[in-house]
Amino acid sequence: MTDARGGAFTGISGKGHGRAATLASIARDARLTRGYLMQIVLATGIAFVGLLMNSAPVVIGAMLISPLLAPIMGFGFAVATFDGRLLRRSLQTLGVGTAIAIIVALLLSVLSPITDATPALLARVRPSLLDLMVAIFGGVAGAYALLRKFSATLVGVAIATALIPPLATIGWGLATGRYDYAGGALLLYVTNTAAIGLMATAVARFNGFGTGLSPRQTWIQSGGILIALALLAIPLGFSLSAIVREARTTASLRAELQEMAGEDATIDRLDTDYQAREPTVSAVIIAPRFVPALERSFAAAVRQELGGNARVAVIQLRNGTAEAESRRLAEEAALRNRELTDREAGRVRAALAVALAVDPADIVVDAGARKAVAPRPALDVGSDPAATVHAAFPDWSIELIARPQAPAAQGPAAE
């Protein structure tokens, strides 16, 4: 077979399949079938568990099962050839698969007792221009692999361009009320999907698909691809800029802390969390001597940089002794225990709010004393809902108090 310029067409497999056979194969893979839906459900379930476990191998396994790459490629080749039937089929299959994945992840999030964000989940909520570049390169590689029947390359593209994990993160974010996380994961999914599909269109046109299109249709294709990529690049550029600013802020804080602690001090650890409601900075300093009021001075510098609500913790350890190493380990263990206690306090508050049908803001939780005080429910919510929560958290003391009575209205008595 030859292309429109009379040269040998090389954008097909060595078995001699033509462009029509390739399009037929793509259209067949883009169908909405029971097997496709089953793969979506299984892949989402595996991805959800992997994200909660913070297990990269499990998440990769979900990417390999996911069939979303097929309708995305169908979309790309449909745009390249202006095939309305293939375009409708691909969009329908992709849309249904996307909705099913989000619903499955949302249901699993509701049933799961784990609501804490893991690093694997957080990695999907802040896409940047770097993610767009990965999706562009992956789309080109995937389209060429599809044309030349390189299944191993398609597997690599499925792993590199994450599709199912962001959908699982969207469902988790919606179920836990963390809509900013869900929005970030949605942006990542849209970025990967659009970039892969548009690059598939470009590769298909380069390899002779859609040669019968008019110049006007070609300009529409090219302009549409450029506009779509530019629109995606705007929010991703802002996100990358924020990440760069945070990295520079961290470097600046590290330098300022080093200056305060002295040249002979070593910053063993400097952890920052800029996405929390109250930005948090914690550091561990190992030095031959203690610096008085170091934490207070550093906290002032951090709050000037990040705002007055920033939380700062600085641990100073003397080096050169076994006592220092022992104390460092003890301090790290205490910090981890404090973080775990804070998380458990949040779960106790949420459990009491659900069991008693009260506003979480009305529940007073003392994480240090492991005690919670909540108002008695206004309505009958069960025989002893507090006992149910106490059974789940036996180390906690739970006390119910009567709601304050509203003062009686003053005025003439009703007859």
Side-chain angles (χ1 to χ4, degrees), residues 77-170:
F77 279 79
V79 173
T81 58
F82 271 65
D83 187 337
R85 182 178 179 183
L86 176 58
L87 181 62
R88 287 191 298 272
R89 172 183 292 184
S90 301
L91 291 178
Q92 179 188 17
T93 303
L94 181 62
V96 172
T98 299
I100 292 295
I102 294 176
I103 293 173
V104 169
L106 194 151
L107 293 176
L108 290 175
S109 300
V110 172
L111 298 175
S112 172
I114 303 175
T115 58
D116 295 330
T118 64
L121 282 166
L122 296 177
R124 270 85 188 176
V125 301
R126 298 193 70 189
S128 67
L129 281 175
L130 302 179
D131 295 286
L132 179 60
M133 293 176 62
V134 171
I136 289 175
F137 294 142
V140 174
Y144 271 108
L146 183 65
L147 291 174
R148 289 168 172 77
K149 304 299 185 288
F150 292 159
S151 58
T153 303
L154 283 173
V155 169
V157 172
I159 295 174
T161 56
L163 297 171
I164 281 291
L167 293 178
T169 305
I170 293 172

Side-chain angles (χ1 to χ4, degrees), residues 7-350:
F9 180 68
T10 60
I12 50 179
S13 69
K15 296 182 179 180
H17 294 288
R19 280 172 283 184
T22 301
L23 288 175
S25 175
I26 293 173
R28 183 173 59 252
D29 292 338
R31 291 180 300 174
L32 183 61
T33 63
R34 290 183 179 179
Y36 171 84
L37 296 178
M38 179 61 69
Q39 284 181 283
I40 289 290
V41 173
L42 295 176
T44 304
I46 294 174
F48 180 81
V49 174
L51 292 173
L52 291 187
M53 293 172 57
N54 197 36
S55 173
V58 177
V59 175
I60 290 174
M63 297 179 190
L64 296 179
I65 298 175
S66 169
L68 288 174
L69 201 58
I72 295 175
M73 288 296 172
F75 164 80
F77 279 79
V79 173
T81 58
F82 271 65
D83 187 337
R85 182 178 179 183
L86 176 58
L87 181 62
R88 287 191 298 272
R89 172 183 292 184
S90 301
L91 291 178
Q92 179 188 17
T93 303
L94 181 62
V96 172
T98 299
I100 292 295
I102 294 176
I103 293 173
V104 169
L106 194 151
L107 293 176
L108 290 175
S109 300
V110 172
L111 298 175
S112 172
I114 303 175
T115 58
D116 295 330
T118 64
L121 282 166
L122 296 177
R124 270 85 188 176
V125 301
R126 298 193 70 189
S128 67
L129 281 175
L130 302 179
D131 295 286
L132 179 60
M133 293 176 62
V134 171
I136 289 175
F137 294 142
V140 174
Y144 271 108
L146 183 65
L147 291 174
R148 289 168 172 77
K149 304 299 185 288
F150 292 159
S151 58
T153 303
L154 283 173
V155 169
V157 172
I159 295 174
T161 56
L163 297 171
I164 281 291
L167 293 178
T169 305
I170 293 172
W172 174 84
L174 294 176
T176 57
R178 302 176 187 183
Y179 303 116
D180 53 339
Y181 288 175
L186 177 61
L187 178 58
L188 176 59
Y189 175 72
V190 171
T191 296
N192 289 344
T193 300
I196 293 171
L198 295 175
M199 290 304 100
T201 299
V203 171
R205 287 304 307 270
F206 184 77
N207 282 269
F209 289 81
T211 53
L213 299 181
S214 66
R216 180 173 179 271
Q217 290 173 320
T218 300
W219 277 107
I220 291 176
Q221 278 183 350
S222 302
I225 292 175
L226 293 176
I227 292 174
L229 292 178
L231 291 177
L232 287 174
I234 293 173
L236 296 175
F238 284 120
S239 178
L240 180 60
S241 176
I243 293 173
V244 171
R245 285 198 305 271
E246 291 174 4
R248 290 177 177 172
T249 300
T250 300
S252 175
L253 292 177
R254 177 180 288 272
E256 194 158 359
L257 179 60
Q258 184 71 65
E259 183 179 353
M260 293 179 180
E263 296 181 357
D264 51 356
T266 301
I267 301 177
D268 184 66
R269 195 184 73 224
L270 179 63
D271 297 328
T272 58
D273 185 1
Y274 299 113
Q275 302 307 308
R277 184 173 301 175
E278 296 180 348
T280 303
V281 178
S282 60
V284 176
I285 304 294
I286 300 178
R289 61 186 179 279
F290 292 106
V291 178
L294 175 61
E295 181 172 355
R296 187 185 309 165
S297 302
F298 184 60
V302 171
R303 287 166 184 152
Q304 184 177 1
E305 186 78 29
L306 303 181
N309 62 337
R311 300 171 59 185
V312 181
V314 178
I315 299 173
Q316 297 188 68
L317 302 175
R318 293 184 62 182
N319 59 2
T321 64
E323 178 186 359
E325 180 63 17
S326 176
R327 182 173 178 179
R328 184 179 70 86
L329 295 176
E331 292 285 358
E332 290 183 353
L335 181 60
R336 287 194 298 269
N337 290 335
R338 187 161 58 249
E339 292 175 351
L340 291 175
T341 301
D342 290 342
R343 293 179 183 177
E344 189 176 22
R347 290 195 291 268
V348 169
R349 184 191 299 273

Side-chain angles (χ1 to χ4, degrees), residues 351-352 355-356 382-394 396 398-400:
L352 283 173
L356 302 175
S383 57
D384 193 356
T388 303
V389 177
H390 182 70
F393 303 93
W396 282 74
I398 298 175
E399 179 183 352
L400 299 183

Side-chain angles (χ1 to χ4, degrees), residues 371-384:
K371 180 179 179 181
V373 179
R376 294 185 182 278
L379 302 176
D380 184 12
V381 293
S383 57
D384 193 356

Side-chain angles (χ1 to χ4, degrees), residues 348-379:
V348 169
R349 184 191 299 273
L352 283 173
V354 173
L356 302 175
V358 299
D359 189 343
D362 295 335
I363 302 173
V364 179
V365 177
D366 186 345
R370 304 182 74 83
K371 180 179 179 181
V373 179
R376 294 185 182 278
L379 302 176

